[in-house]
Amino acid sequence: MQINKNIAISDSGFIFNPSSGDSFSTNQVGLDIIRLMKEGKKNEEIISEIVAKFSIDESTVEKDLGDFSLMLRSYQLLNEND
Amino acid sequence: MTSKKKITVAVSGLNNIDSPGPGIPVIRALKESEHFDVRIIGLSYETLEPGLYMRDLVDKSYSIPLPSSGIASLLERLKYIQEMEGIQVIIPNFDAELHSFIKLAPQLKSDFGIETFLPSQEQFESRHKSVLYEFGEENGVKVPYSKMIFSAAEIPALKNEFSYPLVIKGKYYDASIAATSEQATNYFHKISAKWGLPIIVQEFVSGNEVNVTAIGDGKGNCIGAVPMRKLYITDKGKAWAGVSLDDQQLIEITNRVIGNSKWKGGCELEFIKTKDGEYYLLEMNPRFPAWVYLAVGCGQNHPEALVRMALGEDVKPFETYDIGKLFVRYSFDQIVDLSDFERISTLGEL
Amino acid sequence: MSKLPYERPFIQKLNTGSMNKFGTKTEFAPVTHLDGVAVKQISEEYGSPCFVISERQIRRNYQNAVRAFKTRYPKVQFAWSYKTNYLSAVCNVFHQEGSWAEVVSIFEYKKALQNGVEGNKIIFNGPDKSLEDLKLAVENNSLIHIDHFDELYMLVGLLEGGKQKARVAIRVNMDTGIYPMWDRFGFNYENGQAWNAIIKILAHKELELVGLHCHIGTYMLSANAYATAAYKLCDLALAIKAKYGQAIQYLDLGGGFASSNTLKGSYLQGADIIPSIDDYAEAITSTVLNSNFPQDELPTIILESGRVLIDDAAWLIGSVIATKRLSDGRRATIMDFGVNLLFNAFWYDYKISPAQEFTHHMEDMVIYGPLCMNIDCIRENINLPLLNKGDQVVVHKVGAYNMTQWMQFIQMRPKIVMVDMEGKTHLLRESESLDTMMVLERMPDHLKKIK
């Protein structure tokens, strides 16, 4: 499961999926997660990077990341085949 | 030539789509003003309103909250916009937002120095579909007799007051012509399921539809009026093309309605002219119609007159207009960069 | 380097439709204090959920309503509608301000007596009054508003041959051009029923017809309907005077003025469309003044307003139990309060504010209560900042009909607190416990043991 490589992300949190034409907005943590996903980071790495940058515990990030991934998948931003 | 006065005017209704809002026609009229050099601030509700991207007409745009989120949040947003722009006049063009702007008008003036030129709350309500018949009686214009009903059980007794066919109308939209009480019952259920109660039952009047775009000064003077007959309509019933008419009787009726009701601001009057040459008022919209630019083309710049009156200038009524001028509407594909869409989507400004 | 504040990751599809977000500005501000008292402090002291009532706001509402009427009309009397909120402390704020009591059951009637209201300042309304109830009301010289002929005959039977007299009025229902028409209470004006009842009352000297009453509906958005109602009551009163020479002492216009809550399905916000109390007052008083009452026979105008006087004087503090994702992708937030406490959530889209600072991102969500019942939904769709477990919220304008219609169902009912004029908090009602519930239960001997 990987994030689609061709999506465009801007610093304002605007996301454009050129293969579907959909656009989205996200917040700072969401932006960081998507960038880390684009870099090919695994979930555990993403969690530890978020925990290192923000004042939050690991289990909350794990729960939130699960929910966020669910949303990314429902928006067809995740590539199911990988 | 004297130099034109620089002003900033905010305009909504930028949805210049196949069933267009009046915003862009109003802006075109203002841009062609002989009195003013107008900077236009667009106010939009949606990210794809075409007017947002018409940079030659709209100098800067801001999204504003939908009327459903309340007057307080609209005021908050306008306060922010005003800090950036120094708006002198706002011209709201959507039916649904007029209520909010009418309520806010005194505060816009006292707190921000923004002028409006809108009907009073009482005027606004007096021409609602449900009370149009009374409006007609008060202002000396025929309106098809109508009555509100709340239950299908009231339909059999309608034959005491109406003759078939009659029109079954929804509170806001939709109308069907019923030839029998069975059909009326049928439409009652269909329309009430969609728009709720009450249902308006209206006398059926047949004839040609003729419309007038007009403007009143709020003191009993009709400043301008141009009658038009639709030549071709879209499948949504909107004018595709129309022609200005020589119809003195219609102008007289319009003068009477605007004068008697002391209407303030722009409006559109929709009439049926029967075979016997009688005029029935079907609807009065409390703002300029989307075809208001035809009035400009005929020599009456109504939006400019509105801005002048909003700014306290004395405006003399127009006395003539060109007869037999046509408007032919067209659509046009603009090319827009994603970054513009991103800015209005994420920042709410463009 | 210190870490950045965390906000849970959030993504939303940009619909080309509505936009509610304007850069970093939102239409929400956190509500951290209620009438000057910190939400945190209240919930630490009294728990969550917890109803909070502002004494100051009640008095302000009452005084404003009295001003609206008294500046337009010389004789005005308010009677507090007990069913709207019959917490005794709330009733007594109104009574201290000069309000009478308007009750619709013997329970409310006795509560009013217990609160110290004089019997002759209690208006006894409603369709359910037993013979014993009427007896008590007659003894106390209360105002009995007759709802139907069965009640009228029962009262006649009670008084016949005795020396006691009853002060009565009839409730009249009528067409005021609004829908639905409340024709289930009282006697109809248009079909002559009301006039028949009046003739019957006048024929019995034990009954003193002192007033006429109507109550045309609830949450009325048209002030004009009250003008129609007042006109019809005046018409009856003047006809009584003309035909029988008897002057009617008061016209009771009932209640029904709208509060600024937003009704479900309303496109515009309640606060933007409701008439003001001055609009209602103008409609009613100008109609009565323009009727042909001689100056010395102007009837007193009685008002039984409830909702408009109390709704915005109370809040409900609650907390987020959990947030979850529904199968269709919508966010669901589960609160520790539900329809068990906010019965009126069935009609209102209550405004809900976070009680702590939040970031500018907003999301659409459903708000559910804590009941394990599908009906327990407070808002089917609301746009709020991102909420997390443990966050507190404030529900606004909950003063009317919730603290009387709430139910002990699955959960027990929480505390009710009042903030007084000095900003001090007082407990008005304890939270329920298992013991509270068990006080009324009885166990047959053979069921005492389960093994």
Side-chain angles (χ1 to χ4, degrees):
Chain A
M1 199 176 69
Q2 259 187 343
I3 193 125
N4 290 338
K5 286 281 194 294
N6 58 351
I7 63 165
I9 312 168
S10 79
D11 287 338
S12 67
F14 180 82
I15 296 168
F16 177 66
N17 181 354
S19 48
S20 70
D22 288 333
S23 40
F24 307 87
S25 78
T26 186
N27 58 358
Q28 189 57 51
V29 176
L31 203 58
D32 285 4
I33 291 174
I34 291 171
R35 283 197 172 130
L36 291 166
M37 284 177 164
K38 263 191 109 171
E39 289 167 20
K41 296 265 165 67
K42 293 200 174 63
N43 272 5
E44 302 80 71
E45 295 172 290
I46 294 173
I47 293 169
S48 65
E49 292 224 18
I50 296 293
V51 170
K53 184 170 173 188
F54 297 93
S55 63
I56 190 67
D57 62 280
E58 219 177 277
S59 60
T60 305
V61 179
E62 188 181 335
K63 187 190 82 174
D64 290 345
L65 180 60
D67 179 64
F68 191 62
S69 304
L70 209 67
M71 292 313 290
L72 292 179
R73 189 175 316 143
S74 78
Y75 289 144
Q76 296 171 327
L77 293 169
L78 285 184
N79 195 338
E80 307 272 356
N81 300 327
D82 292 285
Chain B
M1 201 180 127
T2 54
S3 72
K4 294 199 259 183
K5 188 175 164 192
K6 284 194 176 193
I7 56 166
T8 302
V9 178
V11 179
S12 68
L14 308 182
N15 54 330
N16 208 54
I17 50 172
D18 62 340
S19 172
I24 293 301
V26 166
I27 292 168
R28 283 182 74 195
L30 294 178
K31 286 282 182 185
E32 290 173 22
S33 167
E34 289 169 6
H35 295 261
F36 303 118
D37 177 5
V38 188
R39 176 176 153 79
I40 294 289
I41 306 302
L43 303 174
S44 77
Y45 291 100
E46 298 188 5
T47 47
L48 287 180
E49 290 181 24
L52 285 170
Y53 307 99
M54 298 183 182
R55 307 303 269 275
D56 50 337
L57 290 173
V58 182
D59 297 281
K60 167 96 189 178
S61 292
Y62 293 87
S63 54
I64 56 172
L66 286 168
S68 58
S69 44
I71 288 176
S73 72
L74 174 62
L75 187 66
E76 193 59 32
R77 181 63 175 163
L78 290 174
K79 185 177 162 197
Y80 167 80
I81 298 171
Q82 183 63 350
E83 279 164 11
M84 317 293 288
E85 303 297 344
I87 295 162
Q88 275 123 316
V89 181
I90 289 185
I91 308 178
N93 287 304
F94 269 127
D95 289 348
E97 71 186 355
L98 286 174
H99 173 84
S100 309
F101 277 100
I102 290 169
K103 271 209 150 175
L104 276 183
Q107 212 175 337
L108 288 178
K109 187 176 165 80
S110 64
D111 295 4
F112 308 137
I114 300 176
E115 304 285 352
T116 52
F117 204 74
L118 295 165
S120 67
Q121 192 69 36
E122 292 72 39
Q123 288 175 334
F124 179 71
E125 272 158 24
S126 70
R127 30 71 32 203
H128 268 306
K129 254 192 206 181
S130 52
V131 292
L132 191 66
Y133 188 75
E134 289 77 12
F135 179 84
E137 282 191 327
E138 274 163 33
N139 295 300
V141 55
K142 283 188 180 143
V143 172
Y145 178 65
S146 72
K147 160 176 191 169
M148 284 189 284
I149 59 172
F150 292 94
S151 154
E154 296 177 60
I155 289 174
L158 290 177
K159 63 177 190 297
N160 303 328
E161 290 174 80
F162 294 88
S163 58
Y164 283 90
L166 46 74
V167 188
I168 302 284
K169 290 170 101 171
K171 198 158 88 176
Y172 301 113
Y173 299 103
D174 263 1
S176 293
I177 298 162
T180 64
S181 67
E182 287 73 24
Q183 272 186 354
T185 309
N186 214 343
Y187 292 137
F188 177 94
H189 291 305
K190 245 184 215 163
I191 296 175
S192 65
K194 207 161 164 194
W195 301 109
L197 295 171
I199 287 292
I200 296 152
V201 182
Q202 194 177 70
E203 174 191 357
F204 176 72
V205 180
S206 74
N208 284 329
E209 189 181 329
V210 282
N211 299 335
V212 184
T213 179
I215 176 168
D217 68 356
K219 299 171 200 151
N221 300 308
C222 181
I223 298 301
V226 174
M228 177 276 290
R229 160 101 195 271
K230 291 176 190 172
L231 294 177
Y232 209 102
I233 56 171
T234 67
D235 52 8
K236 283 184 181 158
K238 300 286 163 185
W240 176 329
V243 61
S244 62
L245 302 175
D246 176 14
D247 191 332
Q248 210 43 51
Q249 206 184 339
L250 196 50
I251 296 288
E252 272 163 30
I253 292 173
T254 302
N255 278 330
R256 190 157 71 229
V257 172
I258 300 280
N260 209 26
S261 65
K262 295 198 165 59
W263 188 261
K264 187 176 174 191
C267 66
E268 178 187 26
L269 298 156
E270 300 182 11
F271 293 92
I272 287 282
K273 183 181 183 181
T274 65
K275 265 185 269 174
D276 313 326
E278 287 194 292
Y279 293 87
Y280 283 84
L281 180 65
L282 292 188
E283 218 164 282
M284 178 172 187
N285 296 315
R287 37 127 193 103
F288 289 128
W291 58 273
V292 67
Y293 190 73
L294 176 67
V296 182
C298 294
Q300 297 193 359
N301 192 332
H302 291 178
E304 178 195 62
L306 183 138
V307 168
R308 290 181 62 197
M309 290 192 285
L311 292 172
E313 291 183 24
D314 193 30
V315 177
K316 297 261 173 309
F318 293 100
E319 278 167 4
T320 59
Y321 61 92
D322 295 347
I323 290 153
K325 277 258 196 280
L326 277 72
F327 77 89
V328 183
R329 200 167 272 167
Y330 74 114
S331 60
F332 177 92
D333 296 353
Q334 301 186 81
I335 303 305
V336 173
D337 275 338
L338 187 63
S339 60
D340 280 353
F341 178 67
E342 174 186 338
R343 282 180 59 207
I344 189 71
S345 298
T346 57
L347 299 175
E349 296 178 22
L350 184 62
Chain C
M1 199 184 86
S2 66
K3 292 185 180 182
L4 298 170
Y6 177 82
E7 177 188 56
R8 72 176 140 80
F10 153 85
I11 181 167
Q12 74 171 354
K13 193 166 170 177
L14 291 174
N15 290 319
T16 49
S18 63
M19 293 191 299
N20 272 314
K21 182 169 144 282
F22 312 106
T24 56
K25 292 175 89 77
T26 74
E27 52 191 296
F28 285 93
V31 175
T32 56
H33 288 71
L34 300 177
D35 211 4
V37 186
V39 170
K40 262 209 168 61
Q41 183 199 325
I42 296 173
S43 57
E44 269 165 23
E45 200 170 332
Y46 300 98
S48 169
C50 174
F51 280 102
V52 181
I53 298 173
S54 162
E55 180 182 346
R56 183 191 310 274
Q57 189 59 35
I58 297 178
R59 290 189 192 273
R60 198 185 285 153
N61 286 346
Y62 184 85
Q63 287 159 9
N64 183 43
V66 168
R67 174 206 53 77
F69 278 87
K70 285 217 167 144
T71 50
R72 293 178 165 88
Y73 194 85
K75 292 152 81 179
V76 178
Q77 178 62 50
F78 278 78
W80 174 241
S81 157
Y82 264 49
K83 65 178 178 292
T84 311
N85 189 324
Y86 42 58
L87 215 54
S88 290
V90 169
C91 295
N92 280 2
V93 175
F94 285 105
H95 296 322
Q96 279 185 0
E97 289 287 336
S99 189
W100 293 1
E102 183 264 324
V103 302
V104 291
S105 71
I106 196 65
F107 156 68
E108 290 185 1
Y109 186 88
K110 287 181 174 167
K111 211 161 195 278
L113 286 179
Q114 207 175 61
N115 285 338
V117 182
E118 293 162 64
N120 63 357
K121 291 179 178 168
I122 302 176
I123 296 172
F124 200 169
N125 280 329
D128 176 21
K129 307 183 195 86
S130 72
L131 192 65
E132 287 69 38
D133 301 347
L134 289 173
K135 223 181 252 172
L136 187 63
V138 171
E139 274 162 19
N140 283 308
N141 199 23
S142 299
L143 296 160
I144 300 169
H145 287 189
I146 300 168
D147 190 79
H148 41 72
F149 279 112
D150 286 323
E151 182 183 345
L152 174 51
Y153 284 109
M154 184 158 62
L155 191 57
V156 168
L158 174 72
L159 299 170
E160 229 163 24
K163 283 184 186 149
Q164 275 183 319
K165 277 189 136 195
R167 296 194 300 152
V168 303
I170 56 161
R171 174 154 176 181
V172 181
N173 69 61
M174 56 182 70
D175 181 4
T176 55
I178 55 109
Y179 179 85
M181 177 177 153
W182 277 16
D183 58 0
R184 60 173 285 191
F185 303 111
F187 304 89
N188 186 253
Y189 169 86
E190 284 83 12
N191 69 11
Q193 213 178 44
W195 186 248
N196 282 344
I198 288 165
I199 294 172
K200 206 130 281 170
I201 291 170
L202 293 175
H204 289 275
K205 57 181 185 312
E206 315 83 51
L207 300 181
E208 189 192 352
L209 183 66
V210 289
L212 295 171
H213 171 221
C214 71
H215 190 134
I216 56 176
T218 190
Y219 200 90
M220 305 295 297
L221 289 174
S222 155
N224 212 28
Y226 283 92
T228 311
Y231 175 83
K232 290 182 175 176
L233 287 190
C234 290
D235 179 53
L236 280 178
L238 290 165
I240 293 166
K241 173 74 180 175
K243 194 137 190 213
Y244 299 96
Q246 186 180 333
I248 291 297
Q249 295 169 20
Y250 68 83
L251 302 178
D252 181 342
L253 271 297
F257 300 164
S259 74
S260 58
N261 264 307
T262 303
L263 286 179
K264 272 189 193 305
S266 167
Y267 179 66
L268 297 171
Q269 295 284 307
D272 297 347
I273 51 172
I274 57 164
S276 70
I277 196 102
D278 285 272
D279 295 334
Y280 293 119
E282 183 63 30
I284 292 169
T285 58
S286 65
T287 306
V288 180
L289 287 172
N290 290 331
S291 299
N292 294 316
F293 291 109
Q295 199 53 39
D296 56 336
E297 283 179 13
L298 266 185
T300 298
I301 292 177
I302 293 182
L303 296 145
E304 301 169 351
S305 299
R307 191 186 300 280
V308 74
L309 298 180
I310 189 74
D311 230 1
D312 68 353
W315 303 267
L316 176 64
I317 297 175
S319 313
V320 176
I321 296 174
T323 66
K324 66 203 293 186
R325 186 71 67 183
L326 300 176
S327 63
D328 61 1
R330 275 182 309 160
R331 166 72 57 186
T333 304
I334 304 163
M335 298 289 184
D336 60 1
F337 59 87
V339 293
N340 53 326
L341 304 185
L342 289 180
F343 192 75
N344 283 264
F346 288 123
W347 291 278
Y348 284 157
D349 278 339
Y350 276 115
K351 181 183 169 190
I352 300 174
S353 304
Q356 55 279 310
E357 290 296 332
F358 47 82
T359 54
H360 69 268
H361 282 281
M362 311 277 290
E363 64 184 344
D364 286 330
M365 61 179 84
V366 194
I367 292 188
Y368 291 123
L371 306 183
C372 199
M373 284 287 283
N374 200 37
I375 54 158
D376 191 21
C377 177
I378 294 293
R379 288 291 303 266
E380 277 138 32
N381 186 12
I382 183 172
N383 193 251
L384 280 178
L386 308 185
L387 292 170
N388 296 301
K389 177 177 162 51
D391 280 354
Q392 288 189 310
V393 298
V394 169
V395 188
H396 299 259
K397 300 173 193 165
V398 299
Y401 293 104
N402 288 312
M403 285 165 254
T404 49
Q405 285 184 303
W406 58 352
M407 48 189 161
Q408 188 280 306
F409 172 57
I410 301 180
Q411 302 280 351
M412 287 176 289
R413 288 172 286 202
K415 292 189 171 72
I416 302 178
V417 174
M418 179 181 271
V419 181
D420 72 13
M421 304 297 284
E422 271 80 51
K424 269 192 10 216
T425 55
H426 302 266
L427 182 64
L428 300 190
R429 192 181 194 272
E430 255 305 343
S431 47
E432 292 168 345
S433 65
L434 181 59
D435 289 342
T436 329
M437 299 298 122
M438 296 315 291
V439 165
L440 299 173
E441 280 198 35
R442 300 292 177 267
M443 181 73 82
D445 279 340
H446 72 283
L447 294 176
K448 278 184 176 157
K449 284 201 179 115
I450 58 171
K451 268 185 195 160

